[in-house]
Amino acid sequence: MKNIVILISGGGSNMAAIVRTARQDGWRQRYGAQVAAVISNKDSAGGLAFAREQGIATEVVDHKQHATREAFDAQLAAAIDSHQPALVVLAGFMRILTPGFVERYAGRLLNIHPSLLPAFPGLHTHQRAIDAGCKLAGATVHQVTAELDHGPILAQAAVPVLAGDTADTLAARVLSQEHLVYPRAIADLLSKI
Ligand code: GRF
């Protein structure tokens, strides 16, 4: 079985979209794949309850309980590795990862970023797109490399920036596309590994 481990920090709507798509599209039969675990760095992450309801193993590895990034990443890696993952999927996981962690999962570590990379890496992407006068915004699924929000692009989805958009209205439009493009990109990868 190709195990997928999803890392979240918050609401987990991308994680939920992946779980729902996996079930609806029969990833188990089609790709021999399953979402094996959802791991959060915050016990308050809303997505944990959804994962539990779905019967998926959940775990919290609290970054505040670790003195260094390296110590946190080591604990996180141990939690991930207990599920022998084929893919590690970052879905709103708001921690910067150490190069050692990224190296450990090289080629099987994915992220979604809410901009059309290479534009607007980092935070506040929607406001920055509005401020720059962009007519298109969107989201990018990419392989994770040591440099934040870089790495080979696997898929993108674009949406229009509309007159009167705020960061919130644009974020909502982008997020609805994230829920489509991320599961699709993962399924595409699963069909090849
Ligand atoms: C998404 O916009 C994702 O692209 C970004 O953080 C947000 C997470 O949303 N990295 P959710 O937790 O998946 O609902």
Side-chain angles (χ1 to χ4, degrees):
M1 188 63 74
K2 297 169 194 161
N3 282 340
I4 302 166
V5 173
I6 305 181
L7 307 189
I8 64 170
S9 296
S13 69
N14 276 294
M15 175 273 295
I18 294 162
V19 169
R20 287 199 182 99
T21 304
R23 193 177 51 222
Q24 281 159 15
D25 290 358
W27 285 7
R28 191 179 285 268
Q29 294 78 17
R30 231 188 246 211
Y31 309 119
Q34 64 175 357
V35 178
V38 173
I39 300 174
S40 173
N41 62 309
K42 292 183 175 182
D43 62 6
S44 59
L48 288 171
F50 171 86
R52 280 190 209 106
E53 280 161 24
Q54 301 296 312
I56 297 169
T58 62
E59 193 164 337
V60 175
V61 182
D62 186 348
H63 61 278
K64 293 201 193 113
Q65 305 290 328
H66 297 83
T68 64
R69 252 182 224 291
E70 286 72 18
F72 169 68
D73 279 5
Q75 186 69 43
L76 184 61
I80 293 169
D81 289 352
S82 71
H83 299 283
Q84 300 181 310
L87 291 180
V88 178
V89 170
L90 308 181
F93 186 66
M94 303 303 282
R95 300 297 302 167
I96 292 174
L97 299 164
T98 57
F101 182 95
V102 172
E103 183 56 37
R104 183 185 195 91
Y105 301 107
R108 52 192 173 125
L109 184 58
L110 310 185
N111 184 41
I112 190 161
H113 181 74
S115 79
L116 295 172
L117 291 173
F120 311 125
L123 296 174
H124 311 301
T125 55
H126 306 298
Q127 190 60 53
R128 287 158 67 201
I130 291 169
D131 291 347
C134 294
K135 300 299 180 199
L136 287 174
T140 303
V141 180
H142 64 99
Q143 302 264 15
V144 176
T145 56
E147 197 179 349
L148 182 70
D149 298 331
H150 283 69
I153 291 172
L154 299 176
Q156 289 185 308
V159 302
V161 180
L162 302 178
D165 258 342
T166 63
D168 286 347
T169 58
L170 181 55
R173 192 174 310 119
V174 171
L175 191 61
S176 67
Q177 291 304 306
E178 293 182 41
H179 297 162
L180 300 176
V181 74
Y182 210 0
R184 206 180 291 143
I186 293 167
D188 189 47
L189 207 56
L190 287 170
S191 72
K192 295 177 188 154
I193 61 175

